[in-house]
Amino acid sequence: MDFPPVPPQPENPAEARALVRCKPKHRALSATTPGNVRSRIDVRSRCPGWVTENLQRRLLEDALPDPDAGEDAFGRPRKMWNAVAGWVFVGVSSNEQGPAYNCYPEAPMTALVDQLRIREQRTIEQLLGGGNL
Amino acid sequence: MTRLGISVEWKAPPPDEAFGPEKPTWARLELRVGDLVLTRHTPDDVFVSAGAAAENAVEGPISGLVEWVVDNFAPLLWESHVPASKLDSSRGFRSGLPGLQAASNWWTSVANGGDLRRLAVWQQQHTLGATTSQLAIPSMVFVPETSRVGLFVSPPPSALDPSVRWHISSDPTEHWLERDDLRASLTTFVEGALQRASADADGQQWANWLRSRWEEVKRRESSEVERRRLRFGEAVARLWDATIVPLRDRRSLVEGVLSDVPELGDAQLLQLIAALAPAPAATADATKWKKLASNGAVVASRPYEEGYELARRVRHDLGMGVAPIERVDILLSEQGVADRDVDAGGLFRSACTLEDRSASVMVDRSVRGVTARRVALATAFGRLLFDAKGKAWGAAFGDHARVQETRRAGAFAAELLAPAEIVAKYASDPQGLAEDYGISFAAAQWRIHNAVSE
């Protein structure tokens, strides 16, 4: 399947390096993971264990701004959407001085639903390969 | 009517868990509707040592929830049209409204979902916290109607791996809220969070930004023009002055029907108004049906029970016993209710109007088959008996009609056409019930199922 072309990279390097938070205590942990106390956030969704930091970064770089969400308190896109390997993710601006997005699995409740339907059929390798968006 | 209770207990966030406005808005949040605690759960975390206790409140940042309320304040209070069937008439008028489970499956289970994009946007605007907050809350979908707001609650999809196990029913539950109460609860929630955040360095800029949006949102929500647009859709709102206002006394009649049909385009609105044109009264005694409606109030705890009860009373008052009704249209005519076929383009199955003391029922030409027409007539008759009042009144029966009124009228029609007293005798013969009482096979099956389970 042909996927939409990769969107152009933002001109502002700072924008390109927005923080992605898939809050570490919510990832599936292994025996070698540094010790953590139980997170005290009660959440509706948690990222699957295969969402590595590299993949998080790529998901955000490749993400589509939600056309209905507008801008955050600092003029940046409030919500960004992407999908891969049967999962849909939303990145929601945390409204901090520097660009940062809380990223978590979500149902595709956005006008971008049709594009996400296509994207969720990609494999992780296809997304990380970078040439097919 | 019940109230939506929103209880917030502010807390200091754990280290490294909160960022920006999440810090001052970290809280324990409890959501209640009446006596039911919607947020009651047990933590489901691999690090919880033996025997985690159930809790009523969830904990985390609520800034995202506050943003959702501000973004969607007007739609959740007023946007009545649902881009899918509200009720599934083939399953006893059970709710067909999608929640987070349906959304996570791309709405493939939604009947008459139509435009996926429109459905996705509607879901986001009507599901509490959707796409702005990761905080664990159930699927809570707000569906406004004319005089109240429905709240449809269900567990969110477990496939997303939540960190809690919910104590709410796995079957969707339905609650009806006063619009003014809901507005007040949500306003208090937003104002409390903004006040808290504005007093904190990490939340000030966010609070200032959100407050300006909030003031604009409140202004728009209070606008009659905006409310009309949300209730009736863009086309009807645009054509309001040219097509609805000139109707004068008939305006409330048309508004009533508009509250029970899907969002209309320009041509559909004109077609609907033409279909609702006044018709001559059926008989000299055009008010006979009113005696059936006014013979004592129907007392029951649920709408469908009210429908059953009134139908039993009608059968009793008319001396019908448990005999099948040969012709529903003749029954209506004998009660002073005119009936006719109209071309409403499938916007409803049937409609009923009351105008200058004359009542009429109209069936859309899209309704095919004798049994379907009988049900459409009987359901509209039920709406008339229960709801008609004033000089000009209208309502319709179809997939987008008001939920409780439709359930009540649908139950009325079911009991009127096939009384429970006789249904038990056909427990193993739905075909016989269908043939003898002039209802569809599916309706007969459902009638038997209900009679057995009640």
Side-chain angles (χ1 to χ4, degrees):
Chain A
M1 174 177 289
D2 290 331
F3 296 106
V6 181
Q9 295 299 305
E11 291 181 4
N12 183 350
E15 293 300 307
R17 300 192 65 78
L19 275 175
V20 182
R21 292 204 183 92
C22 176
K23 292 173 182 173
K25 291 168 186 147
H26 305 156
R27 292 191 202 134
L29 302 177
S30 69
T32 57
T33 305
N36 274 308
V37 299
R38 180 172 72 87
S39 168
R40 202 43 205 104
I41 305 179
D42 294 315
V43 292
R44 256 190 310 122
S45 66
R46 289 181 283 194
C47 283
W50 46 259
V51 180
T52 61
E53 285 192 21
N54 187 36
L55 184 57
Q56 291 172 39
R57 162 72 37 215
R58 187 75 189 108
L59 280 168
L60 186 63
E61 288 170 354
D62 177 60
L64 300 167
D66 191 318
D68 298 322
E71 297 176 342
D72 67 8
F74 298 88
R76 295 181 293 261
R78 280 178 73 198
K79 290 183 208 172
M80 308 284 283
W81 289 90
N82 213 334
V84 67
W87 287 72
V88 176
F89 298 92
V90 67
V92 181
S93 171
S94 55
N95 273 287
E96 298 172 70
Q97 193 74 34
Y101 289 84
N102 291 328
C103 171
Y104 51 89
E106 181 59 282
M109 294 172 282
T110 168
L112 300 167
V113 59
D114 295 318
Q115 292 99 308
L116 293 176
R117 190 65 152 140
I118 295 171
R119 287 183 173 217
E120 64 123 17
Q121 295 171 53
R122 299 178 296 179
T123 64
I124 298 168
E125 293 72 27
Q126 284 175 318
L127 172 59
L128 291 177
N132 55 357
L133 299 172
Chain B
M1 298 268 184
T2 51
R3 300 199 73 177
L4 176 66
I6 307 175
S7 300
V8 177
E9 180 192 345
W10 304 111
K11 294 196 70 175
D16 302 326
E17 289 273 16
F19 304 90
E22 293 180 338
K23 289 182 186 173
T25 62
W26 193 274
R28 288 179 58 76
L29 173 74
E30 180 180 305
L31 300 174
R32 266 176 197 268
V33 62
D35 292 332
L36 180 63
V37 181
L38 301 179
T39 43
R40 186 160 175 81
H41 68 282
T42 302
D44 185 26
D45 190 299
V46 295
F47 294 110
V48 175
S49 57
E55 302 182 33
N56 281 343
V58 291
E59 182 168 332
I62 65 166
S63 49
L65 267 187
V66 176
E67 286 186 35
W68 183 90
V69 173
V70 172
D71 287 347
N72 302 293
F73 193 59
L76 75 93
L77 288 174
W78 293 101
E79 186 178 48
S80 303
H81 290 127
V82 181
S85 296
K86 289 169 75 172
L87 289 169
D88 188 346
S89 58
S90 69
R91 291 177 59 239
F93 296 104
R94 282 183 171 38
S95 167
L97 291 160
L100 288 175
Q101 287 276 4
S104 68
N105 288 320
W106 305 87
W107 297 274
T108 51
S109 59
V110 173
N112 302 319
D115 184 342
L116 185 63
R117 182 178 178 278
R118 204 159 150 248
L119 190 51
V121 171
W122 174 87
Q123 192 81 68
Q124 190 276 327
Q125 291 179 325
H126 290 261
T127 308
L128 183 64
T131 78
T132 59
S133 174
Q134 195 183 7
L135 186 63
I137 52 176
S139 174
M140 295 172 61
V141 181
F142 295 94
V143 182
E145 292 190 344
T146 308
S147 57
R148 58 185 177 247
V149 179
L151 173 60
F152 295 79
V153 181
S154 55
S158 57
L160 293 180
D161 192 24
S163 67
V164 304
R165 275 177 286 123
W166 295 108
H167 287 222
I168 56 174
S169 167
S170 56
D171 292 325
T173 58
E174 186 179 309
H175 313 273
W176 292 94
L177 312 173
E178 291 278 3
R179 181 179 279 110
D180 289 346
D181 281 348
L182 178 60
R183 183 190 294 108
S185 295
L186 294 173
T187 298
T188 301
F189 175 64
V190 171
E191 294 286 350
L194 289 178
Q195 188 175 28
R196 170 97 175 165
S198 61
D200 187 286
D202 286 307
Q204 266 175 5
Q205 183 143 3
W206 173 82
N208 291 339
W209 164 77
L210 195 61
R211 177 163 291 285
S212 66
R213 294 167 72 101
W214 175 231
E215 294 305 322
E216 172 62 18
V217 156
K218 284 192 293 182
R219 187 193 64 74
R220 289 187 67 185
E221 188 272 328
S222 65
S223 153
E224 280 304 318
V225 172
E226 180 68 3
R227 289 178 177 183
R228 184 183 305 143
R229 186 187 71 79
L230 289 167
R231 282 185 65 194
F232 299 122
E234 296 281 352
V236 172
R238 179 167 29 83
L239 295 173
W240 191 265
D241 288 341
T243 57
I244 305 294
V245 171
L247 296 173
R248 298 191 180 189
D249 290 347
R250 305 194 75 234
R251 181 173 148 178
S252 55
L253 182 158
V254 174
E255 278 191 34
V257 176
L258 285 174
S259 300
D260 286 327
V261 297
E263 185 169 354
L264 306 183
D266 294 23
Q268 287 175 312
L269 173 62
L270 298 177
Q271 184 176 15
L272 180 72
I273 292 174
L276 297 174
T283 66
D285 186 359
T287 62
K288 199 172 171 188
W289 61 272
K290 282 197 172 185
K291 294 190 184 69
L292 295 174
S294 61
N295 283 344
V298 172
V299 178
S301 61
R302 290 185 243 185
Y304 74 88
E305 290 169 342
E306 291 178 322
Y308 288 160
E309 179 56 32
L310 184 60
R312 286 185 203 117
R313 194 181 297 177
V314 166
R315 273 188 166 266
H316 174 268
D317 290 351
L318 296 181
M320 294 164 64
V322 294
I325 298 174
E326 293 291 332
R327 296 277 300 272
V328 178
D329 53 341
I330 292 177
L331 169 66
L332 294 180
S333 178
E334 288 170 350
Q335 300 306 312
V337 179
D339 83 276
R340 67 185 196 273
D341 287 350
V342 296
D343 183 7
L347 295 174
F348 53 71
R349 295 202 195 99
S350 56
C352 41
T353 61
L354 175 64
E355 191 166 8
D356 293 329
R357 298 156 58 87
S358 292
S360 69
V361 169
M362 52 210 82
V363 178
D364 187 56
R365 295 202 175 106
S366 64
V367 176
R368 305 275 188 215
V370 172
T371 55
R373 194 167 191 281
R374 286 164 60 83
V375 170
L377 283 171
T379 308
F381 186 41
R383 280 300 293 266
L384 192 71
L385 291 177
F386 273 113
D387 302 323
K389 57 181 180 244
K391 286 185 68 176
W393 169 93
F397 162 55
D399 289 343
H400 295 265
R402 281 163 278 185
V403 169
Q404 288 188 308
E405 287 84 348
T406 302
R407 282 210 184 106
R408 188 166 54 203
F412 170 88
E415 179 67 21
L416 186 72
L417 294 175
E421 201 178 324
I422 200 70
V423 167
K425 296 182 181 172
Y426 290 86
S428 57
D429 184 16
Q431 184 64 35
L433 177 62
E435 288 175 1
D436 291 348
Y437 279 80
I439 59 177
S440 69
F441 181 75
Q445 286 182 305
W446 197 250
R447 197 79 188 100
I448 292 167
H449 168 80
N450 282 344
V452 167
S453 58
E454 284 156 14

